[in-house]
Amino acid sequence: MRWVFNIRFATFLLILLCCRLGDSDEAAEHEEAVSLVSGYFANFEAVESFDVLWTCESQWVGENGYIEEGVSSGRLIVDPEKSRCCSVLDRSRTELVATKDGAIEKRSMALDVVVSDGKESWSRSVPQPASRMKSTKIGDVLRHNSTVFLPAIGVVAFPVFYGQAPDFRDLIDGTRYGGVRYKLMGEGVNSQTVSYETPVAGVFTIKRTTALDSSSFTPTKYSETAVYPDGKVFPKVRESYRFTEHDGLYLPVGISGEKHNKKTVGETKVKGIEMYDVRIRWFSINEPMGEEYFSPHILNDIKRITDLVDLKLLDEEVETK
């Protein structure tokens, strides 16, 4: 994987050159911070075809005693060389609503799948029948069932979906927010911290901060904080990450997070805290793909679909290809 190293090194040299040509310390700081984020994106740009399984277990507790527990899992198989993809999303949610007579429990489940063989694309929300999609472009197909966009891990809060996710370069130069300036917040023993701020409807500013490992360019921590004009500061998101190395590439394998947000309970907005833990399993990276995952026939085989997101696979000892 020497070519992966060359991509990172070339990216670093280019940004370093821009940094030297900067006409102010602020511009130089911005370019140096961007070089770190660009190194992380270069790592993901080297991941072409892949097969990955993820699951997220979460619990949200409201101030009024309302509790919502959820488990979602997804399988994503992508073969860009032949414009093929398969995405399965399995979600379950349990609501516990406290009342004077005890707790009321409500359950809901959903199973969605999209598949494209490069010539035709189909979608199905079980138990509804499958329907044909207009586009066979991978991005359009995966956008249909809220497929998680893994390269956004560490740059924005989990989860971000295809369609929501900005282009790598768009996120770096800040055009998504009308232009932003990255700042270097300090250097740790083996990491550097970068941040940028984005206004929200003129009411407050969101400060996003990412700590990146200095050698692998991978994020280790991420946070979002709301900053108001009167100086008040409120934490919104805290996440930490676990990565593994595979043939020169660094792949995310875990996320632990906490969000402070509001949910609508009945007709009332309720403040609460959500705790979540994400596990990610990579089965293959940049390896030839078989035909079985991309056939529309899989849409009619519920067992086969659910087997793709079986959480037992997360614990099996299978070597990543």
Side-chain angles (χ1 to χ4, degrees), residues 48-75:
E48 297 177 353
S49 62
F50 59 89
D51 180 0
V52 63
L53 169 68
W54 62 268
T55 183
C56 177
E57 297 182 26
S58 63
Q59 182 183 68
W60 188 87
V61 180
E63 292 180 339
N64 64 345
Y66 172 87
I67 298 175
E68 182 177 297
E69 296 178 337
V71 177
S72 58
S73 57
R75 183 75 174 265

Short mmCIF file of all heavy atoms in Angstrom, two decimals, residues 48-75:
data_model
loop_
_atom_site.label_atom_id
_atom_site.label_comp_id
_atom_site.label_asym_id
_atom_site.label_seq_id
_atom_site.Cartn_x
_atom_site.Cartn_y
_atom_site.Cartn_z
N GLU A 48 -11.89 1.84 -1.71
CA GLU A 48 -12.78 1.83 -2.87
C GLU A 48 -13.90 0.80 -2.65
O GLU A 48 -14.94 1.11 -2.11
CB GLU A 48 -11.97 1.57 -4.13
CG GLU A 48 -10.95 2.69 -4.40
CD GLU A 48 -10.07 2.42 -5.60
OE1 GLU A 48 -10.15 1.31 -6.15
OE2 GLU A 48 -9.32 3.33 -5.99
N SER A 49 -13.70 -0.42 -3.05
CA SER A 49 -14.71 -1.44 -2.77
C SER A 49 -14.58 -1.91 -1.32
O SER A 49 -13.46 -1.99 -0.79
CB SER A 49 -14.54 -2.63 -3.73
OG SER A 49 -13.29 -3.24 -3.55
N PHE A 50 -15.71 -2.21 -0.68
CA PHE A 50 -15.66 -2.64 0.72
C PHE A 50 -16.97 -3.32 1.13
O PHE A 50 -18.00 -3.17 0.48
CB PHE A 50 -15.37 -1.47 1.66
CG PHE A 50 -16.39 -0.35 1.57
CD1 PHE A 50 -17.52 -0.34 2.38
CD2 PHE A 50 -16.20 0.70 0.69
CE1 PHE A 50 -18.45 0.68 2.30
CE2 PHE A 50 -17.14 1.73 0.60
CZ PHE A 50 -18.25 1.72 1.41
N ASP A 51 -16.88 -4.05 2.22
CA ASP A 51 -18.02 -4.74 2.83
C ASP A 51 -17.92 -4.50 4.33
O ASP A 51 -16.94 -4.90 4.97
CB ASP A 51 -17.95 -6.24 2.52
CG ASP A 51 -19.11 -7.03 3.13
OD1 ASP A 51 -19.97 -6.43 3.79
OD2 ASP A 51 -19.13 -8.27 2.94
N VAL A 52 -18.91 -3.80 4.91
CA VAL A 52 -18.83 -3.39 6.31
C VAL A 52 -20.19 -3.54 7.00
O VAL A 52 -21.24 -3.38 6.39
CB VAL A 52 -18.34 -1.91 6.41
CG1 VAL A 52 -19.33 -0.96 5.77
CG2 VAL A 52 -18.08 -1.52 7.86
N LEU A 53 -20.14 -3.90 8.28
CA LEU A 53 -21.32 -4.02 9.13
C LEU A 53 -21.14 -3.11 10.33
O LEU A 53 -20.06 -3.06 10.93
CB LEU A 53 -21.50 -5.47 9.60
CG LEU A 53 -22.52 -5.75 10.71
CD1 LEU A 53 -23.94 -5.51 10.21
CD2 LEU A 53 -22.38 -7.18 11.22
N TRP A 54 -22.19 -2.38 10.70
CA TRP A 54 -22.14 -1.53 11.89
C TRP A 54 -23.42 -1.71 12.70
O TRP A 54 -24.47 -2.06 12.17
CB TRP A 54 -21.95 -0.05 11.52
CG TRP A 54 -23.08 0.53 10.71
CD1 TRP A 54 -23.17 0.60 9.36
CD2 TRP A 54 -24.31 1.09 11.22
NE1 TRP A 54 -24.36 1.16 8.97
CE2 TRP A 54 -25.08 1.48 10.09
CE3 TRP A 54 -24.81 1.31 12.50
CZ2 TRP A 54 -26.32 2.08 10.23
CZ3 TRP A 54 -26.06 1.90 12.63
CH2 TRP A 54 -26.79 2.28 11.50
N THR A 55 -23.31 -1.45 13.99
CA THR A 55 -24.50 -1.43 14.85
C THR A 55 -24.38 -0.31 15.86
O THR A 55 -23.28 0.04 16.30
CB THR A 55 -24.68 -2.77 15.59
OG1 THR A 55 -25.89 -2.75 16.36
CG2 THR A 55 -23.52 -3.03 16.53
N CYS A 56 -25.51 0.29 16.21
CA CYS A 56 -25.54 1.38 17.19
C CYS A 56 -26.61 1.07 18.25
O CYS A 56 -27.78 0.89 17.93
CB CYS A 56 -25.88 2.71 16.50
SG CYS A 56 -26.02 4.11 17.65
N GLU A 57 -26.17 0.98 19.50
CA GLU A 57 -27.09 0.80 20.63
C GLU A 57 -27.17 2.14 21.37
O GLU A 57 -26.14 2.73 21.71
CB GLU A 57 -26.58 -0.29 21.56
CG GLU A 57 -26.51 -1.66 20.89
CD GLU A 57 -26.05 -2.74 21.86
OE1 GLU A 57 -26.25 -2.56 23.07
OE2 GLU A 57 -25.49 -3.74 21.39
N SER A 58 -28.39 2.60 21.60
CA SER A 58 -28.55 3.92 22.20
C SER A 58 -29.64 3.92 23.26
O SER A 58 -30.56 3.09 23.24
CB SER A 58 -28.90 4.95 21.11
OG SER A 58 -30.14 4.63 20.52
N GLN A 59 -29.53 4.89 24.17
CA GLN A 59 -30.57 5.12 25.17
C GLN A 59 -30.69 6.62 25.38
O GLN A 59 -29.70 7.31 25.66
CB GLN A 59 -30.25 4.44 26.50
CG GLN A 59 -31.35 4.63 27.54
CD GLN A 59 -31.03 4.02 28.89
OE1 GLN A 59 -30.13 4.49 29.58
NE2 GLN A 59 -31.74 2.97 29.25
N TRP A 60 -31.92 7.13 25.23
CA TRP A 60 -32.20 8.55 25.44
C TRP A 60 -33.08 8.68 26.67
O TRP A 60 -34.13 8.03 26.77
CB TRP A 60 -32.90 9.14 24.22
CG TRP A 60 -33.07 10.63 24.26
CD1 TRP A 60 -32.17 11.56 23.83
CD2 TRP A 60 -34.20 11.36 24.75
NE1 TRP A 60 -32.67 12.83 24.03
CE2 TRP A 60 -33.90 12.74 24.58
CE3 TRP A 60 -35.43 10.98 25.31
CZ2 TRP A 60 -34.81 13.73 24.95
CZ3 TRP A 60 -36.32 11.97 25.68
CH2 TRP A 60 -36.02 13.34 25.50
N VAL A 61 -32.68 9.53 27.62
CA VAL A 61 -33.43 9.74 28.86
C VAL A 61 -33.84 11.20 28.93
O VAL A 61 -32.98 12.10 28.93
CB VAL A 61 -32.59 9.36 30.10
CG1 VAL A 61 -33.41 9.60 31.38
CG2 VAL A 61 -32.13 7.91 30.01
N GLY A 62 -35.15 11.43 29.00
CA GLY A 62 -35.66 12.79 29.08
C GLY A 62 -35.83 13.28 30.50
O GLY A 62 -35.88 12.50 31.45
N GLU A 63 -35.93 14.60 30.63
CA GLU A 63 -36.10 15.20 31.96
C GLU A 63 -37.40 14.77 32.63
O GLU A 63 -37.52 14.81 33.85
CB GLU A 63 -36.05 16.73 31.84
CG GLU A 63 -34.68 17.28 31.45
CD GLU A 63 -34.69 18.79 31.35
OE1 GLU A 63 -35.79 19.39 31.18
OE2 GLU A 63 -33.61 19.40 31.43
N ASN A 64 -38.38 14.37 31.81
CA ASN A 64 -39.68 13.97 32.37
C ASN A 64 -39.76 12.48 32.67
O ASN A 64 -40.82 11.96 32.98
CB ASN A 64 -40.80 14.35 31.38
CG ASN A 64 -40.69 13.60 30.06
OD1 ASN A 64 -39.64 13.01 29.76
ND2 ASN A 64 -41.75 13.62 29.28
N GLY A 65 -38.63 11.77 32.57
CA GLY A 65 -38.62 10.34 32.85
C GLY A 65 -38.85 9.47 31.65
O GLY A 65 -38.79 8.23 31.74
N TYR A 66 -39.12 10.09 30.50
CA TYR A 66 -39.31 9.32 29.26
C TYR A 66 -37.99 8.67 28.85
O TYR A 66 -36.92 9.30 28.89
CB TYR A 66 -39.81 10.27 28.17
CG TYR A 66 -39.88 9.67 26.79
CD1 TYR A 66 -41.01 8.98 26.36
CD2 TYR A 66 -38.82 9.81 25.90
CE1 TYR A 66 -41.08 8.45 25.08
CE2 TYR A 66 -38.89 9.29 24.62
CZ TYR A 66 -40.02 8.61 24.21
OH TYR A 66 -40.09 8.09 22.95
N ILE A 67 -38.04 7.41 28.47
CA ILE A 67 -36.84 6.68 28.05
C ILE A 67 -37.10 6.06 26.68
O ILE A 67 -38.14 5.47 26.44
CB ILE A 67 -36.48 5.56 29.05
CG1 ILE A 67 -36.15 6.15 30.42
CG2 ILE A 67 -35.29 4.75 28.54
CD1 ILE A 67 -35.90 5.10 31.49
N GLU A 68 -36.13 6.22 25.80
CA GLU A 68 -36.20 5.60 24.48
C GLU A 68 -34.92 4.82 24.23
O GLU A 68 -33.83 5.37 24.31
CB GLU A 68 -36.40 6.66 23.39
CG GLU A 68 -36.53 6.08 22.00
CD GLU A 68 -36.79 7.16 20.96
OE1 GLU A 68 -37.85 7.82 21.05
OE2 GLU A 68 -35.93 7.35 20.08
N GLU A 69 -35.07 3.54 23.96
CA GLU A 69 -33.91 2.69 23.68
C GLU A 69 -33.99 2.21 22.24
O GLU A 69 -35.07 1.89 21.74
CB GLU A 69 -33.88 1.48 24.63
CG GLU A 69 -33.70 1.88 26.09
CD GLU A 69 -33.73 0.69 27.02
OE1 GLU A 69 -34.30 -0.35 26.62
OE2 GLU A 69 -33.19 0.78 28.12
N GLY A 70 -32.86 2.16 21.58
CA GLY A 70 -32.87 1.75 20.18
C GLY A 70 -31.65 0.94 19.81
O GLY A 70 -30.58 1.09 20.40
N VAL A 71 -31.82 0.07 18.84
CA VAL A 71 -30.72 -0.69 18.25
C VAL A 71 -30.89 -0.61 16.74
O VAL A 71 -31.93 -0.98 16.21
CB VAL A 71 -30.71 -2.17 18.69
CG1 VAL A 71 -29.58 -2.91 17.99
CG2 VAL A 71 -30.57 -2.29 20.19
N SER A 72 -29.89 -0.10 16.06
CA SER A 72 -29.93 -0.06 14.61
C SER A 72 -28.65 -0.68 14.07
O SER A 72 -27.59 -0.58 14.70
CB SER A 72 -30.07 1.38 14.09
OG SER A 72 -29.01 2.19 14.56
N SER A 73 -28.75 -1.35 12.95
CA SER A 73 -27.59 -1.97 12.34
C SER A 73 -27.69 -1.85 10.84
O SER A 73 -28.79 -1.77 10.27
CB SER A 73 -27.45 -3.44 12.76
OG SER A 73 -28.62 -4.17 12.43
N GLY A 74 -26.55 -1.80 10.20
CA GLY A 74 -26.54 -1.65 8.75
C GLY A 74 -25.41 -2.44 8.13
O GLY A 74 -24.34 -2.60 8.72
N ARG A 75 -25.67 -2.96 6.95
CA ARG A 75 -24.63 -3.65 6.16
C ARG A 75 -24.50 -2.89 4.85
O ARG A 75 -25.50 -2.62 4.17
CB ARG A 75 -25.05 -5.10 5.91
CG ARG A 75 -24.02 -5.95 5.15
CD ARG A 75 -22.84 -6.33 6.05
NE ARG A 75 -21.94 -7.27 5.37
CZ ARG A 75 -22.00 -8.59 5.50
NH1 ARG A 75 -22.94 -9.14 6.28
NH2 ARG A 75 -21.14 -9.37 4.88
#
